[in-house]
Amino acid sequence: MSTADRTRVPPQTGAPGPGRPEPPRPYGRLGRLGRWASAHLRLVVVLWLALVAGLGAFAPQVTSSLAGAGWQANGSESVKVRELADAHFGGNASSALQVVVAADRPVTDPAVTSVIERAGALLAADPRIERVVPPEPGVTVSPDGRTAILLAGAGADTDDMVRAADDLKGPLAALSGDGVQVSATGASVLWSDFNAANHDAMMKSEMLSWPVTLAILVLAFGSLVAAGLPLLLTLAGLAASAGALVLLNHLTPTSVWAMNFAMMFALALGIDYALFLVVRFRSALARHGDARRAVGETMDTAGKAVALSGVTVLVSLSAVLLVPAPAFRSMALGIMLAVTFVLAATLTLLPAVLGRLGRRVNAGALPRSRRAAGQPEGSARFAAWGERLWAHPLRYGVPALLVLLALAAPVIGLRTAMPSITVVPEDSSARTGYAAVQRAFGPGAPGALQIVTPAGQADAAAAVLRDSAAIAAVMPAQQAADGSGFTMLQAVPAVDPSDPGLAATVEQLRERLPEQALVGGAAVENLDLQSMLDGKTPLVIGVVLAMGFVLLLLALQAPLVALLGTVTNLLATAAAFGAARLVFQDGHGAGLLGFEPQGFLDGWAPVFFFAMIFAIAMDYTVFLLSSAKEHHERTGDPRRAVVGALAHSGRVIFAAAAVMVAVFLTFAFSGPLPPKEMGIVLGLAVLLDAALVRLVLLPVLLRLTGRAAWWSPAWLRRVLPDIRFSHG
């Protein structure tokens, strides 16, 4: 064959030639889904509009219909006491309302008596009140005769009693005047005030965080159009999840807090997922200019990582369902619903919109971002950082590790307890009434214990109570009116309900009282809930870690890298809780943040915050390690895996973390203590995880372990599914 003949031989079909773009490679399931969505934008939008409209129609009911109680240990002794009191003692349970009338003159004064009668009539008119017990001299009238308590028995479940407190505390307070103060108090009123104060603070913080979030989004995405994409996902996910929560509430009582946390996670994950996909879409679009092909490639690579991240978040939060407390379970379910809807929108609605936008995704771009959007190989700045870490791993890795260990060390002395009355505002009804009861009846009066026992054991139980130095007073025994054979004794402890000594008192009484006697009351319900949380925390943490490791192993197919990802998550979480101990238990920075330290961290933090932090940390872990695996699959070079992962995901992790830290830290400066705890713990966790773990320590560990990080035994490779993150 002559030279001329050889020059006329056509290239192989599909092979790239001079000026010929690289041909499309085969697409996986997510890639095909993305291309289908981008080709059927109208259908995808119509389906999402139908879903959002259908579920969103219920969204306006979310605040009024969701439950306000549920902070209890199901099956505990104290919950059994409340159920017996509801059934056999006219609703004289921990959920009953107490109305405190404090006057500057004896309560027998006609003007004060008139106020008491009007308060009683107001209570009796509410169908959720079983019966109203007027003040009894020597029992619910103070020794000085100037304070009286009306008892409004619970005629509904705990959630409806919180709603009753919502409705009644204002009209009752309006009866005050002329030297008479009327305050509703008790556990139901406490949860009413607690929910209202924290809901208002969280909404205020979220509103304050929006301008900061939008500014960071514009800087992170580099264009106004791209910055609006996370909001699209968030709004779709929020509207659908809000309506779904209302429907869920018809099946099982769902905490009003579920919506707050759902909103937070919908925004956080919507930003994370949109950032990751948009950055990869821009890179793919810069390589070959075909929007639909860029969508398919993006979903084949980053889409898999997002899907895995969503599953990991759901698995982490599902561990909270092991805690038998309705409030915790419903909050976890609320977040899981929001994650599910945001994930579904990310995998269908976002690729459809990106396919239609094409290069218009860069519309309204900032000058620097306009140039960066055309770079197909990711961030040059983070690639250079990856090269620096590879060249000097110990120089950067050791200081990062030391900082994390130093912050994690205080976690050893961390104490937890259920919150005291100080977590509600000083002028709230529950706190005002609480203080009035203590002034008139003694420090332990707001936390009276309820002991339910068979009638035959009542005298023996009363003798045990009177012989206890920790009991200040014992009320006359109350017989069940329905002939059930139960007797209730009420005992006033000598210490404030939030005093740590109360737990020892309850434990001693349970040991000394007759076998069939049950000890309960609002303060004891808190103690039982705390005890249950302490017992379940190791189980929840163990399940979260184990399931996180298994999911990383399934995705990455390398035991060592999966272990590194899991252990570094735990290290960042421990550092956040160690810092939280210094702030909230020891009080460092309390003046700056404007709160009074309780001497402990609120009891739900270890279980619930751990699951939330681990879910967020796994989000970043999956982004980084899936990118590293993608580059390792292509090249087999550990160095290029680390550098390429930082180039493609470092900017996303940095920007997403900046948004989350800004959002969480706004809660740190809100009024009530629980949002402050959440803001500090979650904000520090995200900051430490992104800045020290994902962008320093984990890449350094991949550098030090080299090829061993990606090694997997042959038997394990045969067992695990073949999941690849590289396109084609």
Short mmCIF file of all heavy atoms in Angstrom, two decimals, residues 286-344:
data_model
loop_
_atom_site.label_atom_id
_atom_site.label_comp_id
_atom_site.label_asym_id
_atom_site.label_seq_id
_atom_site.Cartn_x
_atom_site.Cartn_y
_atom_site.Cartn_z
N ALA A 286 -17.53 22.20 29.66
CA ALA A 286 -16.35 22.86 29.11
C ALA A 286 -15.54 21.91 28.23
O ALA A 286 -14.85 22.35 27.31
CB ALA A 286 -15.47 23.40 30.24
N ARG A 287 -15.62 20.61 28.49
CA ARG A 287 -14.84 19.64 27.71
C ARG A 287 -15.42 19.42 26.33
O ARG A 287 -14.68 19.30 25.35
CB ARG A 287 -14.75 18.32 28.46
CG ARG A 287 -13.68 18.29 29.53
CD ARG A 287 -13.38 16.87 29.98
NE ARG A 287 -14.54 16.21 30.55
CZ ARG A 287 -14.89 16.30 31.83
NH1 ARG A 287 -14.17 17.04 32.64
NH2 ARG A 287 -15.96 15.69 32.29
N HIS A 288 -16.76 19.30 26.23
CA HIS A 288 -17.31 18.93 24.91
C HIS A 288 -18.51 19.76 24.48
O HIS A 288 -19.01 19.55 23.39
CB HIS A 288 -17.66 17.44 24.88
CG HIS A 288 -18.28 16.92 26.14
ND1 HIS A 288 -19.49 17.33 26.61
CD2 HIS A 288 -17.81 16.03 27.04
CE1 HIS A 288 -19.76 16.69 27.74
NE2 HIS A 288 -18.76 15.91 28.03
N GLY A 289 -19.02 20.65 25.31
CA GLY A 289 -20.02 21.62 24.86
C GLY A 289 -21.42 21.10 24.66
O GLY A 289 -22.30 21.86 24.29
N ASP A 290 -21.67 19.81 24.89
CA ASP A 290 -22.99 19.22 24.70
C ASP A 290 -23.68 19.13 26.06
O ASP A 290 -23.24 18.38 26.94
CB ASP A 290 -22.86 17.84 24.06
CG ASP A 290 -24.21 17.21 23.73
OD1 ASP A 290 -25.20 17.55 24.39
OD2 ASP A 290 -24.25 16.37 22.82
N ALA A 291 -24.79 19.86 26.25
CA ALA A 291 -25.42 19.94 27.56
C ALA A 291 -25.97 18.58 28.01
O ALA A 291 -25.79 18.18 29.16
CB ALA A 291 -26.54 20.98 27.54
N ARG A 292 -26.67 17.87 27.12
CA ARG A 292 -27.24 16.59 27.51
C ARG A 292 -26.15 15.58 27.83
O ARG A 292 -26.27 14.79 28.77
CB ARG A 292 -28.14 16.05 26.40
CG ARG A 292 -29.49 16.75 26.31
CD ARG A 292 -30.39 16.07 25.31
NE ARG A 292 -30.63 14.68 25.68
CZ ARG A 292 -31.18 13.77 24.86
NH1 ARG A 292 -31.53 14.13 23.63
NH2 ARG A 292 -31.37 12.54 25.26
N ARG A 293 -25.09 15.60 27.05
CA ARG A 293 -23.97 14.69 27.33
C ARG A 293 -23.31 15.07 28.65
O ARG A 293 -22.92 14.19 29.43
CB ARG A 293 -22.96 14.76 26.18
CG ARG A 293 -21.79 13.83 26.36
CD ARG A 293 -20.87 13.91 25.16
NE ARG A 293 -19.62 13.23 25.42
CZ ARG A 293 -18.56 13.28 24.62
NH1 ARG A 293 -18.63 13.98 23.50
NH2 ARG A 293 -17.46 12.63 24.93
N ALA A 294 -23.20 16.36 28.93
CA ALA A 294 -22.61 16.81 30.20
C ALA A 294 -23.46 16.37 31.37
O ALA A 294 -22.94 15.98 32.43
CB ALA A 294 -22.45 18.32 30.19
N VAL A 295 -24.80 16.41 31.18
CA VAL A 295 -25.70 15.94 32.25
C VAL A 295 -25.48 14.46 32.51
O VAL A 295 -25.39 14.00 33.65
CB VAL A 295 -27.16 16.23 31.89
CG1 VAL A 295 -28.11 15.46 32.80
CG2 VAL A 295 -27.45 17.72 31.98
N GLY A 296 -25.42 13.66 31.44
CA GLY A 296 -25.22 12.23 31.61
C GLY A 296 -23.92 11.91 32.31
O GLY A 296 -23.87 11.06 33.21
N GLU A 297 -22.84 12.58 31.92
CA GLU A 297 -21.55 12.35 32.55
C GLU A 297 -21.57 12.80 34.01
O GLU A 297 -21.02 12.12 34.88
CB GLU A 297 -20.47 13.10 31.77
CG GLU A 297 -19.07 12.88 32.31
CD GLU A 297 -18.02 13.58 31.47
OE1 GLU A 297 -18.19 13.63 30.23
OE2 GLU A 297 -17.05 14.08 32.05
N THR A 298 -22.21 13.93 34.28
CA THR A 298 -22.30 14.44 35.65
C THR A 298 -23.05 13.46 36.55
O THR A 298 -22.62 13.17 37.67
CB THR A 298 -23.01 15.80 35.68
OG1 THR A 298 -22.23 16.74 34.93
CG2 THR A 298 -23.18 16.31 37.09
N MET A 299 -24.15 12.94 36.07
CA MET A 299 -24.94 12.02 36.88
C MET A 299 -24.24 10.68 37.04
O MET A 299 -24.41 9.99 38.05
CB MET A 299 -26.32 11.82 36.26
CG MET A 299 -27.16 13.09 36.21
SD MET A 299 -27.43 13.79 37.85
CE MET A 299 -28.48 12.53 38.56
N ASP A 300 -23.43 10.28 36.06
CA ASP A 300 -22.68 9.03 36.17
C ASP A 300 -21.57 9.11 37.20
O ASP A 300 -21.13 8.09 37.71
CB ASP A 300 -22.07 8.67 34.80
CG ASP A 300 -22.68 7.41 34.22
OD1 ASP A 300 -23.58 6.84 34.87
OD2 ASP A 300 -22.25 6.99 33.13
N THR A 301 -21.09 10.31 37.48
CA THR A 301 -19.98 10.49 38.42
C THR A 301 -20.48 11.13 39.71
O THR A 301 -20.67 10.46 40.72
CB THR A 301 -18.88 11.34 37.77
OG1 THR A 301 -19.47 12.57 37.29
CG2 THR A 301 -18.25 10.63 36.59
N ALA A 302 -20.73 12.43 39.67
CA ALA A 302 -21.18 13.15 40.87
C ALA A 302 -22.56 12.68 41.31
O ALA A 302 -22.86 12.67 42.51
CB ALA A 302 -21.20 14.65 40.60
N GLY A 303 -23.41 12.29 40.36
CA GLY A 303 -24.74 11.82 40.72
C GLY A 303 -24.69 10.58 41.61
O GLY A 303 -25.49 10.44 42.55
N LYS A 304 -23.76 9.66 41.32
CA LYS A 304 -23.61 8.48 42.17
C LYS A 304 -23.19 8.89 43.57
O LYS A 304 -23.66 8.33 44.57
CB LYS A 304 -22.57 7.54 41.57
CG LYS A 304 -23.02 6.80 40.33
CD LYS A 304 -21.91 5.90 39.82
CE LYS A 304 -22.32 5.22 38.52
NZ LYS A 304 -21.21 4.41 37.96
N ALA A 305 -22.26 9.85 43.64
CA ALA A 305 -21.81 10.30 44.96
C ALA A 305 -22.96 10.93 45.74
O ALA A 305 -23.10 10.71 46.95
CB ALA A 305 -20.66 11.29 44.80
N VAL A 306 -23.78 11.72 45.07
CA VAL A 306 -24.92 12.34 45.73
C VAL A 306 -25.91 11.28 46.21
O VAL A 306 -26.43 11.35 47.33
CB VAL A 306 -25.61 13.34 44.78
CG1 VAL A 306 -26.99 13.72 45.30
CG2 VAL A 306 -24.75 14.58 44.62
N ALA A 307 -26.18 10.29 45.37
CA ALA A 307 -27.10 9.22 45.77
C ALA A 307 -26.56 8.47 46.99
O ALA A 307 -27.31 8.19 47.94
CB ALA A 307 -27.31 8.26 44.60
N LEU A 308 -25.27 8.16 46.96
CA LEU A 308 -24.67 7.48 48.10
C LEU A 308 -24.71 8.35 49.34
O LEU A 308 -25.00 7.88 50.45
CB LEU A 308 -23.22 7.09 47.78
CG LEU A 308 -22.44 6.48 48.94
CD1 LEU A 308 -23.05 5.16 49.37
CD2 LEU A 308 -20.97 6.29 48.56
N SER A 309 -24.44 9.64 49.17
CA SER A 309 -24.48 10.56 50.30
C SER A 309 -25.88 10.60 50.92
O SER A 309 -26.04 10.55 52.14
CB SER A 309 -24.07 11.96 49.86
OG SER A 309 -24.31 12.91 50.87
N GLY A 310 -26.90 10.69 50.06
CA GLY A 310 -28.27 10.72 50.57
C GLY A 310 -28.63 9.46 51.33
O GLY A 310 -29.24 9.53 52.41
N VAL A 311 -28.23 8.31 50.80
CA VAL A 311 -28.50 7.05 51.50
C VAL A 311 -27.77 7.02 52.84
O VAL A 311 -28.32 6.58 53.86
CB VAL A 311 -28.08 5.85 50.62
CG1 VAL A 311 -28.14 4.55 51.42
CG2 VAL A 311 -28.97 5.75 49.40
N THR A 312 -26.54 7.51 52.86
CA THR A 312 -25.76 7.53 54.10
C THR A 312 -26.41 8.43 55.14
O THR A 312 -26.46 8.09 56.33
CB THR A 312 -24.33 8.00 53.81
OG1 THR A 312 -23.76 7.19 52.78
CG2 THR A 312 -23.46 7.91 55.05
N VAL A 313 -26.88 9.60 54.73
CA VAL A 313 -27.57 10.50 55.66
C VAL A 313 -28.81 9.82 56.22
O VAL A 313 -29.08 9.88 57.43
CB VAL A 313 -27.94 11.81 54.95
CG1 VAL A 313 -28.86 12.66 55.83
CG2 VAL A 313 -26.68 12.61 54.60
N LEU A 314 -29.58 9.17 55.36
CA LEU A 314 -30.79 8.49 55.82
C LEU A 314 -30.46 7.37 56.80
O LEU A 314 -31.14 7.20 57.82
CB LEU A 314 -31.56 7.92 54.62
CG LEU A 314 -32.17 8.95 53.66
CD1 LEU A 314 -32.76 8.27 52.44
CD2 LEU A 314 -33.24 9.78 54.36
N VAL A 315 -29.42 6.62 56.51
CA VAL A 315 -29.03 5.52 57.39
C VAL A 315 -28.56 6.06 58.75
O VAL A 315 -28.92 5.52 59.81
CB VAL A 315 -27.93 4.68 56.73
CG1 VAL A 315 -27.27 3.75 57.74
CG2 VAL A 315 -28.51 3.86 55.58
N SER A 316 -27.77 7.13 58.73
CA SER A 316 -27.29 7.70 59.99
C SER A 316 -28.45 8.17 60.85
O SER A 316 -28.48 7.93 62.07
CB SER A 316 -26.34 8.87 59.71
OG SER A 316 -25.20 8.44 58.99
N LEU A 317 -29.40 8.84 60.25
CA LEU A 317 -30.54 9.36 61.02
C LEU A 317 -31.49 8.26 61.45
O LEU A 317 -32.17 8.39 62.48
CB LEU A 317 -31.29 10.40 60.19
CG LEU A 317 -30.51 11.70 59.93
CD1 LEU A 317 -31.22 12.53 58.88
CD2 LEU A 317 -30.36 12.49 61.22
N SER A 318 -31.54 7.16 60.69
CA SER A 318 -32.45 6.07 61.06
C SER A 318 -32.04 5.44 62.38
O SER A 318 -32.88 4.84 63.06
CB SER A 318 -32.48 5.01 59.96
OG SER A 318 -31.24 4.33 59.87
N ALA A 319 -30.77 5.57 62.77
CA ALA A 319 -30.34 5.01 64.05
C ALA A 319 -31.04 5.68 65.22
O ALA A 319 -31.20 5.07 66.29
CB ALA A 319 -28.82 5.14 64.19
N VAL A 320 -31.47 6.94 65.04
CA VAL A 320 -32.18 7.64 66.12
C VAL A 320 -33.52 6.97 66.41
O VAL A 320 -34.05 7.08 67.52
CB VAL A 320 -32.37 9.12 65.74
CG1 VAL A 320 -33.13 9.88 66.83
CG2 VAL A 320 -31.03 9.79 65.50
N LEU A 321 -34.05 6.22 65.45
CA LEU A 321 -35.32 5.53 65.66
C LEU A 321 -35.20 4.44 66.72
O LEU A 321 -36.22 3.94 67.21
CB LEU A 321 -35.82 4.92 64.34
CG LEU A 321 -36.06 5.91 63.19
CD1 LEU A 321 -36.52 5.18 61.95
CD2 LEU A 321 -37.08 6.97 63.59
N LEU A 322 -33.97 4.08 67.09
CA LEU A 322 -33.76 3.11 68.16
C LEU A 322 -34.09 3.68 69.53
O LEU A 322 -34.24 2.95 70.49
CB LEU A 322 -32.31 2.61 68.15
CG LEU A 322 -31.85 1.85 66.90
CD1 LEU A 322 -30.35 1.62 66.95
CD2 LEU A 322 -32.59 0.52 66.80
N VAL A 323 -34.18 5.01 69.62
CA VAL A 323 -34.49 5.68 70.89
C VAL A 323 -36.00 5.71 71.07
O VAL A 323 -36.71 6.33 70.27
CB VAL A 323 -33.92 7.12 70.91
CG1 VAL A 323 -34.26 7.80 72.23
CG2 VAL A 323 -32.42 7.09 70.69
N PRO A 324 -36.54 5.04 72.12
CA PRO A 324 -38.00 4.98 72.29
C PRO A 324 -38.58 6.26 72.89
O PRO A 324 -39.18 6.25 73.97
CB PRO A 324 -38.18 3.78 73.23
CG PRO A 324 -36.93 3.76 74.04
CD PRO A 324 -35.83 4.24 73.13
N ALA A 325 -38.39 7.36 72.20
CA ALA A 325 -38.95 8.65 72.62
C ALA A 325 -39.63 9.27 71.41
O ALA A 325 -38.98 9.48 70.37
CB ALA A 325 -37.86 9.57 73.15
N PRO A 326 -40.94 9.54 71.47
CA PRO A 326 -41.66 10.04 70.29
C PRO A 326 -41.06 11.28 69.67
O PRO A 326 -41.00 11.39 68.44
CB PRO A 326 -43.07 10.31 70.84
CG PRO A 326 -43.19 9.42 72.03
CD PRO A 326 -41.83 9.34 72.63
N ALA A 327 -40.59 12.24 70.48
CA ALA A 327 -40.05 13.47 69.91
C ALA A 327 -38.82 13.18 69.06
O ALA A 327 -38.67 13.72 67.96
CB ALA A 327 -39.70 14.45 71.04
N PHE A 328 -37.93 12.33 69.55
CA PHE A 328 -36.71 12.03 68.81
C PHE A 328 -37.02 11.29 67.51
O PHE A 328 -36.47 11.59 66.46
CB PHE A 328 -35.77 11.17 69.67
CG PHE A 328 -35.14 11.93 70.80
CD1 PHE A 328 -35.76 12.01 72.02
CD2 PHE A 328 -33.93 12.57 70.62
CE1 PHE A 328 -35.19 12.72 73.06
CE2 PHE A 328 -33.34 13.27 71.65
CZ PHE A 328 -33.98 13.35 72.88
N ARG A 329 -37.89 10.30 67.61
CA ARG A 329 -38.21 9.52 66.42
C ARG A 329 -38.87 10.38 65.35
O ARG A 329 -38.55 10.27 64.17
CB ARG A 329 -39.13 8.36 66.80
CG ARG A 329 -38.42 7.26 67.58
CD ARG A 329 -39.35 6.14 67.99
NE ARG A 329 -38.61 5.00 68.50
CZ ARG A 329 -39.17 3.91 69.02
NH1 ARG A 329 -40.50 3.83 69.08
NH2 ARG A 329 -38.43 2.92 69.46
N SER A 330 -39.79 11.25 65.75
CA SER A 330 -40.48 12.06 64.75
C SER A 330 -39.56 13.13 64.16
O SER A 330 -39.67 13.45 62.97
CB SER A 330 -41.73 12.70 65.35
OG SER A 330 -41.41 13.57 66.42
N MET A 331 -38.62 13.66 64.96
CA MET A 331 -37.67 14.62 64.40
C MET A 331 -36.77 13.93 63.37
O MET A 331 -36.48 14.49 62.30
CB MET A 331 -36.83 15.26 65.51
CG MET A 331 -37.59 16.30 66.31
SD MET A 331 -36.54 17.24 67.44
CE MET A 331 -36.22 16.02 68.70
N ALA A 332 -36.33 12.72 63.69
CA ALA A 332 -35.51 11.97 62.73
C ALA A 332 -36.31 11.68 61.46
O ALA A 332 -35.79 11.82 60.34
CB ALA A 332 -35.02 10.67 63.36
N LEU A 333 -37.57 11.30 61.61
CA LEU A 333 -38.41 11.03 60.43
C LEU A 333 -38.62 12.29 59.61
O LEU A 333 -38.63 12.23 58.37
CB LEU A 333 -39.76 10.46 60.87
CG LEU A 333 -39.77 9.01 61.35
CD1 LEU A 333 -41.12 8.63 61.92
CD2 LEU A 333 -39.41 8.06 60.20
N GLY A 334 -38.78 13.42 60.28
CA GLY A 334 -38.96 14.68 59.55
C GLY A 334 -37.74 15.02 58.70
O GLY A 334 -37.87 15.40 57.53
N ILE A 335 -36.56 14.88 59.29
CA ILE A 335 -35.34 15.15 58.52
C ILE A 335 -35.21 14.15 57.38
O ILE A 335 -34.83 14.51 56.26
CB ILE A 335 -34.11 15.09 59.43
CG1 ILE A 335 -34.20 16.14 60.53
CG2 ILE A 335 -32.83 15.29 58.62
CD1 ILE A 335 -33.08 16.07 61.53
N MET A 336 -35.53 12.88 57.65
CA MET A 336 -35.41 11.86 56.60
C MET A 336 -36.36 12.15 55.44
O MET A 336 -36.00 11.93 54.27
CB MET A 336 -35.67 10.47 57.20
CG MET A 336 -34.57 10.03 58.17
SD MET A 336 -35.03 8.57 59.15
CE MET A 336 -35.00 7.29 57.88
N LEU A 337 -37.56 12.64 55.75
CA LEU A 337 -38.47 13.02 54.67
C LEU A 337 -37.89 14.14 53.83
O LEU A 337 -37.92 14.09 52.58
CB LEU A 337 -39.82 13.46 55.25
CG LEU A 337 -40.81 12.37 55.66
CD1 LEU A 337 -42.00 12.98 56.37
CD2 LEU A 337 -41.27 11.59 54.43
N ALA A 338 -37.35 15.17 54.49
CA ALA A 338 -36.76 16.29 53.76
C ALA A 338 -35.59 15.82 52.90
O ALA A 338 -35.46 16.23 51.73
CB ALA A 338 -36.30 17.37 54.73
N VAL A 339 -34.73 14.96 53.44
CA VAL A 339 -33.59 14.44 52.68
C VAL A 339 -34.08 13.66 51.47
O VAL A 339 -33.52 13.78 50.37
CB VAL A 339 -32.71 13.57 53.58
CG1 VAL A 339 -31.63 12.87 52.77
CG2 VAL A 339 -32.06 14.40 54.68
N THR A 340 -35.11 12.85 51.67
CA THR A 340 -35.63 12.04 50.56
C THR A 340 -36.13 12.92 49.42
O THR A 340 -35.82 12.67 48.24
CB THR A 340 -36.76 11.13 51.07
OG1 THR A 340 -36.26 10.26 52.09
CG2 THR A 340 -37.33 10.29 49.93
N PHE A 341 -36.89 13.95 49.75
CA PHE A 341 -37.43 14.82 48.70
C PHE A 341 -36.32 15.63 48.03
O PHE A 341 -36.33 15.81 46.80
CB PHE A 341 -38.50 15.75 49.28
CG PHE A 341 -39.81 15.05 49.55
CD1 PHE A 341 -40.33 14.99 50.84
CD2 PHE A 341 -40.52 14.46 48.52
CE1 PHE A 341 -41.53 14.35 51.09
CE2 PHE A 341 -41.73 13.82 48.76
CZ PHE A 341 -42.24 13.76 50.06
N VAL A 342 -35.37 16.14 48.81
CA VAL A 342 -34.27 16.90 48.21
C VAL A 342 -33.43 16.00 47.33
O VAL A 342 -32.99 16.40 46.23
CB VAL A 342 -33.41 17.56 49.31
CG1 VAL A 342 -32.12 18.11 48.73
CG2 VAL A 342 -34.18 18.69 49.99
N LEU A 343 -33.18 14.78 47.78
CA LEU A 343 -32.40 13.83 46.97
C LEU A 343 -33.13 13.51 45.67
O LEU A 343 -32.51 13.48 44.59
CB LEU A 343 -32.15 12.56 47.78
CG LEU A 343 -31.32 11.47 47.10
CD1 LEU A 343 -29.92 11.99 46.80
CD2 LEU A 343 -31.25 10.22 47.98
N ALA A 344 -34.44 13.28 45.76
CA ALA A 344 -35.20 12.99 44.55
C ALA A 344 -35.17 14.17 43.59
O ALA A 344 -35.02 13.99 42.36
CB ALA A 344 -36.65 12.65 44.92
#
